[in-house]
């Protein structure tokens, strides 16, 4: 049965990696929307400070210091959520670490630690959430944070890309099992492009220069918007920012060309002026509490991301623009092609919307029978 996702104001969210970056931005926005949040990270002191901040502003926040790479610690997070709020509705796996360096330079210990957090942290959190949500009335949502590097790979972040490929494979496989079992759980993979978080400063760095993420760079709050959208709307996957989507398209369409482009461009774009950070958070908690990096800014709006959140409006406007162009120019070939082209664009959307909300579609058709008939004829 499909998950019945509640409005954010009625939800309890477990958010890992909540002490900085995307996780912290998501926790703040969720609390502002009225949701209760369970904050999870290794840095106990910072977590408590964030929880105090949210509670003082009228929110409901509960900190749980835990390493997501430890399955027993993750189980303790679930127990704490149940004890404090009676359970949870959405589990968001954000926690992640990174290593900048060529694969033949990165030590095996660093490689293993990265996978322990990035991959096994998602595995532990997802499976713990499944155990809780499978039997919960109405089910709930699991949201895993991948990356555009779930689809492509680049130099210097090879180990990180490998872990995010693994996250995508695990998420897709788990989804098929949930479908098979008819579990009332929405499982979403979100793939951010370059985001202006302290990600580079927290990464272990084998380079001689300070690291950064390649442009275009987007604000962490944009990813938080998408996460909270997925918490209340069943979504399979979303890419945040068109920059990452273009990388994925290039990699899929012309992989050899993409290899050459990434090999030449990414190393230069992954370095910036300034001193290297003296610390990292790969093996233990570092300095947290910041949503954004101080080194550069990020775009707060992405038209491509908004188009994914509102596909009906986007395709509808596209179809209207196409039909309007045909009418404006008045050219016979364009006019003849506009209608079937528009129908091909809109037909899957209308069908999907009707199947997802059959009662609403039936009520709408009964109120406007002539328009419904015209639409049916136009989309034949």
């Amino acid at each position: 049965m499909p998950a019945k996702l509640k409005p954010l104001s009625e939800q309890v969210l477990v958010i890992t990696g909540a002490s900085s970056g995307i996780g912290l931005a998501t926790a703040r926005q969720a609390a502002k929307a009225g949701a209760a949040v369970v904050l999870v990270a290794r840095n106990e002191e910072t977590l408590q400070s964030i929880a105090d901040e949210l509670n003082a502003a009228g929110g409901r926040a509960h900190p749980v210091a835990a390493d997501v790479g430890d399955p027993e610690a993750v189980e303790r997070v679930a127990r704490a959520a149940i004890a404090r709020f009676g359970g949870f509705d959405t589990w968001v796996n954000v926690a992640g670490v990174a290593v900048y360096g060529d694969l033949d330079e990165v030590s095996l210990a660093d490689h293993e630690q990265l996978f322990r957090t990035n991959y096994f942290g998602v595995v532990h959190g997802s499976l713990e959430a499944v155990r809780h949500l499978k039997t919960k009335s109405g089910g709930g949502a699991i949201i895993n944070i991948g990356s555009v590097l779930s689809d492509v790979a680049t130099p210097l972040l090879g180990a990180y890309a490998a872990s995010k490929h693994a996250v995508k494979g695990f998420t897709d496989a788990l989804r098929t099992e949930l479908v098979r079992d008819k579990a009332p759980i929405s499982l979403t993979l979100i793939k951010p492009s370059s985001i202006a978080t302290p990600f580079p400063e927290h990464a272990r760095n084998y380079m001689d220069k300070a690291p950064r993420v390649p442009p275009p760079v987007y604000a962490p709050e944009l990813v938080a918007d998408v996460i909270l959208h997925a918490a209340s709307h069943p979504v399979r996957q979303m890419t945040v920012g068109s920059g990452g989507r273009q990388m994925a398209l290039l990699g899929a369409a012309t992989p050899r060309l993409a290899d050459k482009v990434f090999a030449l461009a990414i190393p230069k774009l992954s370095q910036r002026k300034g001193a290297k950070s003296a610390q990292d958070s790969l093996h233990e908690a570092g300095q947290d509490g910041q949503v954004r990096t101080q080194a550069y800014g990020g775009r707060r709006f992405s038209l491509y991301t908004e188009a994914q959140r509102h596909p009906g409006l986007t395709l509808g406007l596209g179809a209207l623009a196409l039909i309007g162009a045909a009418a404006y120019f008045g050219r016979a070939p364009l006019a003849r092609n506009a209608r079937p082209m528009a129908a091909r664009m809109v037909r899957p959307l209308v069908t999907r919307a009707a199947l997802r909300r059959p009662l609403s579609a039936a009520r709408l058709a009964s109120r406007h029978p002539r328009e419904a008939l015209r639409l049916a004829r136009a989309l034949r």
Side-chain angles (χ1 to χ4, degrees):
M1 66 180 70
K4 297 180 180 179
L5 303 184
K6 301 176 183 177
L8 276 177
S9 60
E10 301 175 11
Q11 286 203 33
V12 176
L13 283 77
V14 175
I15 304 172
T16 72
S19 60
S20 67
I22 293 170
L24 178 52
T26 303
R28 284 175 172 164
Q29 291 183 205
K32 188 176 180 180
V37 290
V38 178
L39 309 172
V40 184
R42 292 173 294 178
N43 194 323
E44 184 174 6
E45 183 179 351
T46 300
L47 275 187
Q48 186 61 59
S49 176
I50 295 168
D52 292 342
E53 167 205 326
L54 298 181
N55 290 328
R60 294 174 294 155
H62 181 65
V64 183
D67 183 344
V68 296
D70 179 356
E72 294 182 358
V74 174
E75 183 180 352
R76 179 164 49 82
V77 170
R79 291 200 305 268
I82 294 170
R84 176 65 179 82
F85 296 115
F88 55 87
D89 305 284
T90 297
W91 187 295
V92 190
N93 288 304
V94 183
V97 294
V99 176
Y100 278 84
D102 290 340
L103 288 169
D104 61 355
E105 295 179 323
V106 177
S107 71
L108 185 59
D110 286 351
H111 207 137
E112 289 178 343
Q113 178 61 30
L114 183 144
F115 261 78
R116 184 169 176 262
T117 300
N118 291 10
Y119 174 68
F120 284 104
V122 170
V123 172
H124 299 154
S126 296
L127 297 182
E128 191 63 43
V130 166
R131 283 189 281 272
H132 178 76
L133 296 175
K134 224 174 185 181
T135 58
K136 184 177 182 293
S137 177
I142 300 172
I143 301 170
N144 292 338
I145 306 303
S147 166
V148 296
L149 298 185
S150 298
D151 298 322
V152 297
T154 66
L156 297 178
L157 284 174
Y160 179 82
S163 71
K164 292 302 183 177
H165 273 69
V167 166
K168 181 180 184 299
F170 169 79
T171 302
D172 289 343
L174 178 59
R175 187 184 294 108
T176 62
E177 295 180 4
L178 294 175
V179 170
R180 179 200 62 197
D181 298 341
K182 298 181 180 180
I185 300 174
S186 171
L187 179 56
T188 302
L189 177 67
I190 293 176
K191 298 180 287 186
S193 300
S194 294
I195 307 298
T197 68
F199 171 93
E201 290 91 329
H202 291 176
R204 174 148 295 187
N205 184 12
Y206 282 77
M207 303 187 300
D208 295 329
K209 297 183 178 180
R212 62 160 295 156
V213 293
V217 182
Y218 302 87
E221 292 84 358
L222 186 60
V223 187
D225 290 342
V226 173
I227 291 172
L228 298 183
H229 175 80
S232 53
H233 301 80
V235 178
R236 179 184 175 86
Q237 66 178 20
M238 288 183 67
T239 299
V240 182
S242 62
R245 179 57 178 164
Q246 291 166 15
M247 289 179 64
L249 288 174
L250 178 64
T254 57
R256 292 188 178 183
L257 175 60
D259 289 344
K260 294 179 180 179
V261 171
F262 297 156
L264 292 173
I266 295 301
K268 296 178 181 178
L269 296 174
S270 298
Q271 300 176 352
R272 64 175 179 85
K273 296 179 180 179
K276 292 175 56 175
S277 175
Q279 297 180 339
D280 63 69
S281 61
L282 180 61
H283 291 275
E284 59 185 19
Q287 295 181 349
D288 290 327
Q290 298 295 321
V291 169
R292 298 192 183 207
T293 177
Q294 302 300 313
Y296 41 82
R299 304 178 184 181
R300 186 62 179 83
F301 180 80
S302 165
L303 185 60
Y304 170 72
T305 304
E306 286 301 306
Q308 292 179 90
R309 291 176 62 189
H310 307 285
L313 178 61
T314 302
L315 287 180
L317 290 175
L320 287 175
L322 184 62
I323 295 170
Y328 178 79
F329 290 106
R331 295 180 180 178
L334 185 58
R336 282 197 304 269
N337 292 330
R339 177 178 168 181
M341 287 177 65
R344 282 196 295 270
M345 291 171 60
V346 177
R347 188 184 296 118
L349 174 70
V350 173
T351 303
R352 193 180 305 119
L355 291 175
R356 186 176 294 175
R357 299 285 190 274
L359 294 179
S360 298
R363 282 195 294 267
L364 188 62
S366 64
R367 291 174 187 169
H368 308 281
R370 292 184 180 180
E371 289 77 4
L373 184 58
R374 288 175 186 170
L375 179 62
R377 288 174 177 173
L379 297 180
R380 285 183 303 180

